[in-house]
Amino acid sequence: DGSADGESSLQLTKYECQRVTTLDHYNRKLVEALELLESHALLIGGEQSQGRALAFKRSSTAMKGLPKEIENVDEISSLRHLGNHSLRIIGEILTKGYSDEVEQIRNSEFYKATKLFNNIFGVGPTTARYWYDKGLRTFDDLRNSEIIKLTDRQQSGLDNYDELCEPVTLEQAQRIRDMVQNEIDIILPGTKSMLVGGHRRGKKAGHDTDILIWHPEEGKERGLLTKLVDRLELKGYIKYKEMINIDANTDEAFLRRTNSRGLSDIKEKPGKAMDHLERCFGIFSFPRTLLQLPQNDDNPSAARRVDLIVTPASQWAYALVGWTGNKQYNRSLRLYAWKELQINLSSHAAFDCREQKLLPASTEQDIFNYLKLTYREPWERNC
Ligand code: GTP
Ligand code: MN
Ligand code: MN
């Protein structure tokens, strides 16, 4: 095939999970523009815009997956991953260096204000847009407004905004994990923990620290998260917290139920809670020494976002894939599993709907095998 495009025609697998996508890639400028359009579409909201956001996402992950820098739009015009809108933007950037539409959005009052609000921990696109519609534009507007009431989460996000914008380096994330490991060693010897999320995928700097916790003996993990968080609270490490799915049912009947709902949980909107694992997500306050930050006499601690996730041993491999991400990688994995194999994949388990059975896994490799996919290292899952 490809005779019309000759040797310049590029190919890509249908699903992101079938290809390698690394943090380093060849088309930064195009990806940045497409990601801005995605983000803008999400901020506008509504079903149609969410569809457009997904299309821009598909285009940007396609650009990340290409083996070379694109110089001419003809090189990619045969890729089915790109819609007309994305192709038009890419063509514009390739010919004159920028896109009028992208720059107009970037500088628009709507995008600047809603993006700023959306960057606050606890503020999603819907709230950001609602505030914008009420005429609010700045943090001062939020603080002084008499018409809106911030939730505790949003208030905490706003109060700690500047510190939460500081990136979490890999070294800092490792030190936070070490601290958590020390605590669980005391609470329940034998308990294990590891860094997941962006840091596991090779990011040098993340927006938070994601730590997966488990005990090799099934059931021993019950009650652990509450005890851990109590200890951290006593140490003064916790500024704000939300405990989710504490004591959620994790027996086999539960797994069958949640995993045999077919496409329903795949269709869920990005950003929605996607599983039933016990989790504490919060804003922590760490001594600056723990993070190896320069001392600051006015403020001896620094606020950072932390996610603590506890999984039963039997679900560990699935939880690991789910919490390593990234989000788009998981989305493609679940879509692929369902569409191609009628396997319903979650962060707990996989359910084979044709065979009507659960697929037990003890490693990530097991999961890739069930899905008939080539194993991808965490750093190859950066869609
Ligand atoms: P940065 O934190 O920005 O560096 O990137 P990240 O990829 O670590 O993002 P984040 O911390 O938001 O999420 C880490 C992984 O956990 C991603 O793959 C998400 O899809 C996944 N994740 C986030 N929230 C949930 C959730 O509620 N349930 C499940 N199963 N996964 C989640
Ligand atoms: Mn993260
Ligand atoms: Mn996280």
Side-chain angles (χ1 to χ4, degrees):
D1 90 301
S3 50
D5 306 303
E7 56 191 340
S8 64
S9 146
L10 291 164
Q11 314 273 313
L12 275 178
T13 62
K14 182 170 178 192
Y15 299 93
E16 286 97 337
C17 60
Q18 295 170 307
R19 43 180 122 114
V20 169
T21 315
T22 55
L23 287 168
D24 269 335
H25 57 81
Y26 298 94
N27 292 284
R28 297 244 152 248
K29 202 168 180 180
L30 300 177
V31 167
E32 191 273 338
L34 294 166
E35 286 183 342
L36 183 141
L37 291 173
E38 180 206 358
S39 158
H40 180 245
L42 289 173
L43 289 165
I44 290 176
E47 203 154 324
Q48 215 180 335
S49 274
Q50 271 160 2
R52 288 174 51 222
L54 273 176
F56 287 131
K57 180 93 223 171
R58 201 167 139 80
S59 304
S60 71
T61 60
M63 293 298 105
K64 287 184 196 175
L66 292 174
K68 66 189 276 285
E69 185 179 345
I70 300 307
E71 281 157 14
N72 190 310
V73 76
D74 293 340
E75 295 172 80
I76 49 171
S77 51
S78 62
L79 291 179
R80 285 166 307 144
H81 312 70
L82 306 169
N84 289 335
H85 197 160
S86 295
L87 268 179
R88 192 172 75 237
I89 299 289
I90 292 169
E92 214 185 342
I93 295 175
L94 291 178
T95 43
K96 62 177 186 183
Y98 66 94
S99 150
D100 290 312
E101 184 180 339
V102 171
E103 295 316 310
Q104 198 195 323
I105 290 171
R106 197 196 303 281
N107 296 312
S108 70
E109 196 176 14
F110 172 81
Y111 183 75
K112 283 193 283 194
T114 52
K115 189 76 190 162
L116 179 72
F117 293 158
N118 190 205
N119 281 341
I120 303 170
F121 172 58
V123 180
T126 308
T127 305
R129 185 183 336 117
Y130 175 77
W131 290 347
Y132 180 85
D133 290 341
K134 293 282 175 202
L136 307 171
R137 299 289 181 271
T138 66
F139 289 171
D140 276 341
D141 290 349
L142 293 182
R143 292 193 186 100
N144 301 330
S145 169
E146 280 164 12
I147 46 173
I148 63 153
K149 172 116 183 62
L150 297 177
T151 63
D152 289 349
R153 194 203 292 195
Q154 292 163 352
Q155 187 66 55
S156 188
L158 187 58
D159 292 345
N160 296 289
Y161 184 82
D162 289 338
E163 288 181 355
L164 295 184
C165 285
E166 292 169 16
V168 181
T169 65
L170 178 59
E171 292 71 24
Q172 290 170 343
Q174 282 164 343
R175 292 176 69 88
I176 294 170
R177 205 239 26 135
D178 291 347
M179 181 278 291
V180 166
Q181 183 66 52
N182 286 337
E183 297 300 324
I184 53 185
D185 281 343
I186 295 167
I187 300 168
L188 181 66
T191 307
K192 300 190 181 308
S193 70
M194 67 188 282
L195 277 183
V196 289
H199 291 112
R200 181 164 187 252
R201 299 196 312 275
K203 277 173 110 176
K204 295 274 179 280
H207 100 283
D208 68 354
T209 304
D210 305 289
I211 302 174
L212 185 64
I213 300 167
W214 73 100
H215 192 285
E217 213 176 304
E218 184 85 359
K220 282 257 173 131
E221 77 288 347
R222 291 221 181 104
L224 180 64
L225 188 59
T226 312
K227 286 184 196 146
L228 171 62
V229 170
D230 283 350
R231 284 187 68 93
L232 297 174
E233 206 136 36
L234 274 173
K235 296 204 161 199
Y237 285 174
I238 299 185
K239 275 197 153 171
Y240 175 82
K241 69 167 200 289
E242 281 179 44
M243 304 292 281
I244 302 172
N245 298 325
I246 298 302
D247 291 327
N249 188 355
T250 55
D251 62 19
E252 179 147 332
F254 160 83
L255 290 177
R256 281 183 93 88
R257 230 161 34 239
T258 53
N259 261 56
S260 51
R261 280 185 315 182
L263 258 183
S264 63
D265 78 321
I266 292 163
K267 280 188 182 158
E268 251 172 37
K269 297 186 195 87
K272 282 275 151 63
M274 292 170 283
D275 63 42
H276 305 263
L277 295 170
E278 284 193 349
R279 171 180 177 204
C280 168
F281 82 102
I283 298 177
F284 285 43
S285 169
F286 294 115
R288 297 178 71 88
T289 47
L290 191 146
L291 301 176
Q292 292 189 311
L293 289 167
Q295 283 309 307
N296 174 341
D297 292 337
D298 300 330
N299 186 5
S301 58
R304 295 289 184 266
R305 273 271 300 112
V306 175
D307 281 326
L308 304 172
I309 306 102
V310 174
T311 177
S314 61
Q315 300 170 29
W316 175 80
Y318 288 100
L320 181 58
V321 169
W323 278 90
T324 296
N326 63 10
K327 193 175 284 182
Q328 181 61 19
Y329 183 85
N330 287 341
R331 202 187 273 149
S332 81
L333 203 58
R334 289 170 194 198
L335 195 63
Y336 160 88
W338 180 251
K339 294 270 189 200
E340 306 298 324
L341 304 167
Q342 277 77 62
I343 289 174
N344 190 332
L345 177 69
S346 75
S347 294
H348 301 280
F351 185 80
D352 186 325
C353 290
R354 283 186 279 204
E355 305 280 330
Q356 284 292 302
K357 64 170 196 218
L358 283 163
L359 307 173
S362 48
T363 64
E364 288 185 308
Q365 183 76 61
D366 290 343
I367 300 172
F368 282 84
N369 289 346
Y370 284 131
L371 298 178
K372 304 186 198 323
L373 287 171
T374 308
Y375 176 75
R376 301 293 180 213
E377 296 291 348
W379 54 90
E380 297 172 328
R381 305 178 204 164
N382 282 295
C383 303

